[in-house]
Amino acid sequence: MRQTIMIVITMMTARVTPRKKIRSYAYLPLACLMICGTSSEWAHIGPPYPIIQDQKIGPLTVAVWSNPDVGTGSFFVVIDPPAGGSIPPDLKVEVIVQPVSGRLPEKAYYAWRNKLHDRAEFKTEVPFDKEETWRVRVLLSSSQVSGEADTNVEVTPALLGRWDLLLFLLPFLGIGFLWFKAVSTRRQNRRARRKRVQERTPR
């Protein structure tokens, strides 16, 4: 993913001639699609949003961000330590989900830890089979602190269908149109210059 982004940045910022730079824009839609296709989190529309904020569990402050989509939903549990304190090294985080309707039993998913500078972030992915309201419980457990926070979330479809695909493609179609227009204008200018030169050349 990072390598793909670096390729795109290099392509767009490299010192090239105007002609080559125009050509480089033709590959921008493909590059964007590569980024989207190689990202494991490109399974939804829009970024994660907070479902729990500033929840106190013992001395820890917990926030939960999620993108609960049908198929695979992502959960990010961000934990801040108390002032002058630290996060227990043996802290474990579980995300437990169940439809509010009760049609399925609760199911727990362990989250893995991403180490950050001044806080801890735990991430997990949860499969959702249906668009409906789900109860989400976040459990923290360690030798020093334990507790939970809960909320309800609306699981939404990851894609809306053909219209969603059309909206996704519109920016790329626009870039392609601008590229073809730039190439066409360049060719017309080149023909006009040749024509002026021929008219000025004595026969």
Side-chain angles (χ1 to χ4, degrees), residues 49 67-71 128 130-132 153-159:
Y49 60 89
N67 214 312
D69 293 328
V70 173
F128 291 111
K130 189 176 180 181
E131 178 184 357
E132 61 180 318
V153 298
E154 293 292 333
V155 173
T156 55
L159 294 175

Side-chain angles (χ1 to χ4, degrees), residues 48-57 60-66 76-80 119 138 149-153:
Y49 60 89
I51 60 173
I52 296 176
Q53 297 188 72
D54 299 328
Q55 179 74 48
K56 285 290 186 180
I57 299 180
L60 305 176
T61 302
V62 179
V64 181
W65 292 64
S66 178
F76 303 86
V77 183
V78 181
I79 303 173
D80 289 305
R119 63 181 64 183
V138 178
D150 68 282
T151 188
N152 291 342
V153 298

Side-chain angles (χ1 to χ4, degrees), residues 196-203:
R196 287 195 297 268
V197 171
Q198 291 175 357
E199 291 175 350
R200 294 174 183 175
T201 302
R203 297 181 179 177

